[in-house]
């Protein structure tokens, strides 16, 4: 594995992989297998000098920070939540778009609850972003850290509301919740190891240019 001297791109399967495919295709880069069906975690491409590694979405920055991957495609949510020291965000790829929102049960008067100034509790996977958002608003909020299925929290009395990513809004609707506040717009970014970028830019530049063409074509 260490013998590979091409460029390694870290991706998560699911929406990031699916949305990155057309960008790679514009650059003439085509993966040799589909991570949705194959169990391979290292995927070659039609280009001997470019390979993909498949990792959890929240692990993409870690691989790039440590130089185990040259590049990664990571959601802005992941980068904001984890911090991005040691990384450069080279491009906004405009894919996997969504919004980080506050949501509460339908009919819950969020504005009135804020005016009353009582303590609200919010369940979220995005503790850091939620904390800085509510602090900016001067709100006292108890955050409850969850790792998934945030929507369940208000339905079971675990929390008054949630802070979660929303794209179509169908998940909120299906759970009788409604978005009441926008925290941030999210999209996926092309990230690179900062030290590698400073030292080995000529080796890395062509893939960045390929992505730039892909983004332009989309
Ligand atoms: O799923 P896993 O635990 O492995 O990790 P992950 O959830 O971090 O990965 P993945 O692949 O689900 O998401 C990767 C990236 O896609 C995220 O980091 C975001 O930047 C981006 N993205 C875009 C989204 C969504 N849209 C999105 N809708 N990530 C998650 N969701 C979830 C949301 O949390 C909620 O549960 O989808 C549900 C809401 O979707 P709608 O369409 O019903 O509103
Ligand atoms: Mg997910």
């Amino acid at each position: 594995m260490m013998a590979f001297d091409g460029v390694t791109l870290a991706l998560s399967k699911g929406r990031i992989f699916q949305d990155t495919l057309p960008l790679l295709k514009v650059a003439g880069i085509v993966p040799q297998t589909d991570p949705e069906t194959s169990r391979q975690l290292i995927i070659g491409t039609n280009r001997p000098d470019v390979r993909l590694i498949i990792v959890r979405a929240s692990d993409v920055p870690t691989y790039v920070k440590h130089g185990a991957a040259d590049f990664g495609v990571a959601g802005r949510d992941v980068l904001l939540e984890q911090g991005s020291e040691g990384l450069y965000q080279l491009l906004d790829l405009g894919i996997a778009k969504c919004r980080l929102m506050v949501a509460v049960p339908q009919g819950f008067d969020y504005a009135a609850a804020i005016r009353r100034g009582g303590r609200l509790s919010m369940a979220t996977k995005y503790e850091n972003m939620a904390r800085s958002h509510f602090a900016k608003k001067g709100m006292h909020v108890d955050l409850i850290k969850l790792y998934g299925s945030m929507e369940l929290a208000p339905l079971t009395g675990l929390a008054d509301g949630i802070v979660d990513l929303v794209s179509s809004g169908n998940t909120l609707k299906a759970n009788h919740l409604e978005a009441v506040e926008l925290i941030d717009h999210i999209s996926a970014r092309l990230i690179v190891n900062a030290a590698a970028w400073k030292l080995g830019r000529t080796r890395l530049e062509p893939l960045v240019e390929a992505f730039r063409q892909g983004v332009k074509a989309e």
Side-chain angles (χ1 to χ4, degrees):
M1 177 161 156
M2 294 321 283
F4 184 75
D5 63 357
V7 167
T8 300
L9 171 66
L11 292 170
S12 53
K13 59 182 181 181
R15 64 190 106 223
I16 296 274
F17 185 85
Q18 294 311 325
D19 288 4
T20 301
L21 268 185
L23 302 181
L24 289 172
K25 196 162 180 219
V26 170
I29 301 169
V30 182
Q32 269 159 357
T33 55
D34 176 358
E36 305 301 334
T37 54
S38 118
R39 299 200 167 257
Q40 249 173 272
L41 298 176
I42 300 179
I43 297 182
T45 70
N46 61 322
R47 292 248 310 260
D49 59 331
V50 180
R51 69 174 183 179
L52 313 178
I53 60 171
I54 306 299
V55 304
R56 282 292 289 266
S58 46
D59 291 335
V60 168
T62 306
Y63 275 84
V64 179
K65 266 178 204 176
H66 291 274
D70 299 292
F71 293 101
V73 177
R76 181 160 176 265
D77 50 317
V78 173
L79 297 167
L80 286 173
E81 195 57 28
Q82 297 186 7
S84 49
E85 307 91 282
L87 300 172
Y88 289 140
Q89 295 182 37
L90 295 177
L91 291 175
D92 180 351
L93 299 176
I95 59 170
K97 282 188 183 170
C98 55
R99 288 160 298 159
L100 185 69
M101 309 216 50
V102 180
V104 296
Q106 287 166 5
F108 178 95
D109 196 340
Y110 179 65
I114 295 174
R115 278 197 305 274
R116 279 196 303 273
R119 256 190 129 80
L120 288 175
S121 61
M122 296 283 169
T124 188
K125 184 166 142 185
Y126 306 99
E127 266 186 310
N128 293 331
M129 283 187 282
R131 191 181 301 111
S132 78
H133 172 71
F134 293 120
K136 254 184 252 159
K137 293 195 61 175
M139 281 173 68
H140 295 291
V141 172
D142 292 316
L143 295 177
I144 299 174
K145 168 80 179 186
L146 289 179
Y147 294 90
S149 302
M150 265 79 84
E151 302 82 12
L152 194 55
L155 306 181
T156 54
L158 178 65
D160 296 311
I162 65 174
V163 170
D164 195 10
L165 300 176
V166 179
S167 43
S168 69
N170 290 338
T171 306
L172 291 182
K173 209 175 292 165
N175 291 289
H176 311 289
L177 302 174
E178 60 184 351
V180 287
E181 198 160 73
L182 172 68
I183 299 182
D184 229 326
H185 292 275
I186 304 292
S187 56
R189 309 298 159 110
L190 180 68
I191 58 173
V192 68
N193 178 284
W197 184 246
K198 278 182 205 147
L199 299 170
R201 194 161 166 160
T202 47
R203 182 177 72 90
L204 300 175
E205 196 101 74
L207 190 70
V208 180
E209 191 46 40
F211 268 102
R212 203 170 275 129
Q213 295 309 319
V215 173
K216 216 187 284 170
E218 279 295 291

